[in-house]
Amino acid sequence: MMKKLLAALFVCLSAASAWAGVKIEHWIAPSGARVYFVETHALPILDVEVNFTAGTAYDAADKAGVAGLTRGLLDAGAGGLDEEKIAGRLVDIGARLSGTTDHDRAGLNLRTLSSKAEKESALDLMRVLLAQPAFPEAVLAREKARLISAIQEADTRPDSIAAKRFARAMYPDHPYGLHSTVESVGRITRDDLASFHRDHYSARRAVVSLIGDVTRAEAERIAQQLTEALPAGKADGDLPAVRMPSKGTHKVAHPAAQSHIHIGLPAIRRTDPDYYALLVGNYTLGGGGFVSRLMKEVREKRGYAYSVHSYFAPRRFEGPFQIGLQTKREQAGDALKVAGEVLAGFMKDGPTEKELAAAKKNLINGQALRIDSNAKLIGYLSAIGFYGLPLTYLDDFPAKVGAVTAKDVREAFARHVKPSSLVTVVVASD
């Protein structure tokens, strides 16, 4: 659990000690794509990630699932190649291709040898997949069936039900609250995928990140070649503003023995200057595992839950702050009361100097473990590019974290965690 929480919290962070002095270069390609590049020749490898403002938040409400299927089928056929031939070509050249989709973005990642023949073959394949996806009907039907089956299975599990209900409660009027359903996926056609690709997979919505064994001149050529044939697309920045929800508790019946509880609200954009204070403060509240206040009060002192946590998940627009726990259904009310008291106490008094020092030490010293390979670093580089963070972000991190005071934490929590907007979801409640 802690690894997941840290990943959510530190998706854009890195160990600046290992990266101190590393030069991140940035430019705009002639195609209009934003490019971020780190040149390193330590290994004969090149990592490339191309992301688009094309996450699930850009789904139409009645066809939620289009963004994920569009990204998922990019390597299912393109340029006259079917998915079997694409997979075979990747094996032949020793390259690895994968992709991700989250609320804000979607894209492809490529790892290839930097030797000329393998590199050019891998990059040519990536260019074709990005610009000329075929979205074959048979593969779409197969993937829709797979997705519908996964949704049906997930909708029986209390943890999945709680997560979806919590998102809807936090974002009742915003695409961040959407989830794909059996019905919405059933409506999706090949034309929907082609249309979504045409609108969202454009160069001006693209961020190209490169790390590895190529020169700046090669990187410029690669970035342009990957993006010059992309569709014209729609303009960026077309999501509505996030409105704060009203405080409330939503109870969902379920026969599970354990109640699944989420508490939270929309809280912070990734570019918000309060990010560091919230990051440091949350370590003490519920992000620091066994040293966190929530863990001590809810689990250790009262035995209400095996695990309890809190985190901020900043996004392009206001991402959630969440407290989560599971507890016996008959003691859900008591556990909720304690969690609320811990949050209120923390917001009133903030971290002690001892807690503050421990949080900052852990956050700063722990970074190196999360950036020990180019494969990990490419993710941080792409986040810097996608969210428009400073090129010195990695070097600045220790100083920014180290400068946070207890007063900063209290004031940041007061600005972003409004009790009047806290929503609570309890699945399997008595």
Side-chain angles (χ1 to χ4, degrees), residues 254-415:
H254 192 280
Q258 293 269 319
S259 291
H260 292 248
I261 300 171
H262 293 328
I263 308 163
L265 77 171
I268 182 175
R269 297 187 178 204
R270 185 59 193 84
T271 52
D272 195 301
D274 283 337
Y275 175 76
Y276 295 99
L278 296 175
L279 176 68
V280 173
N282 184 67
Y283 185 89
T284 298
L285 174 63
F290 287 100
V291 303
S292 75
R293 291 192 184 186
L294 281 168
M295 188 69 91
K296 289 177 180 175
E297 296 297 326
V298 176
R299 172 181 158 143
E300 294 184 7
K301 289 187 179 179
R302 297 171 178 83
Y304 284 154
Y306 178 77
S307 176
V308 56
H309 61 267
S310 67
Y311 65 81
F312 289 89
R315 298 176 185 169
R316 191 165 176 235
F317 293 80
E318 285 77 5
F321 162 71
Q322 178 179 336
I323 295 174
L325 69 148
Q326 296 87 50
T327 186
K328 293 179 182 177
R329 55 191 304 152
E330 62 268 21
Q331 61 191 25
D334 293 331
L336 261 173
K337 182 173 182 292
V338 173
E341 290 172 349
V342 171
L343 175 61
F346 183 79
M347 291 185 64
K348 178 175 181 293
D349 299 326
T352 65
E353 287 304 317
K354 183 178 179 180
E355 289 173 328
L356 187 69
K360 292 196 284 190
K361 180 180 179 181
N362 181 280
L363 292 170
I364 293 171
N365 293 345
Q367 292 177 61
L369 298 176
R370 294 185 286 275
I371 59 160
D372 55 4
S373 71
N374 284 7
K376 293 180 182 177
L377 292 173
I378 190 75
Y380 296 108
L381 183 62
S382 66
I384 289 170
F386 187 82
Y387 292 107
L389 302 176
L391 298 185
T392 56
Y393 180 86
L394 298 171
D395 287 343
D396 295 344
F397 180 73
K400 294 283 189 181
V401 170
V404 171
T405 67
K407 180 172 179 286
D408 294 334
V409 172
R410 289 192 296 272
E411 291 178 349
F413 267 73
R415 281 191 287 270

Side-chain angles (χ1 to χ4, degrees), residues 166-172 174 176 242-246 263-269 312-313 315 317-322 415-418 421-423:
F166 185 58
R168 289 205 305 274
M170 281 194 299
Y171 300 101
H174 194 273
Y176 281 166
V242 172
R243 291 193 306 166
M244 288 296 108
S246 298
I263 308 163
L265 77 171
I268 182 175
R269 297 187 178 204
F312 289 89
R315 298 176 185 169
F317 293 80
E318 285 77 5
F321 162 71
Q322 178 179 336
R415 281 191 287 270
H416 296 279
V417 183
K418 301 286 188 184
S421 292
L422 279 172
V423 298

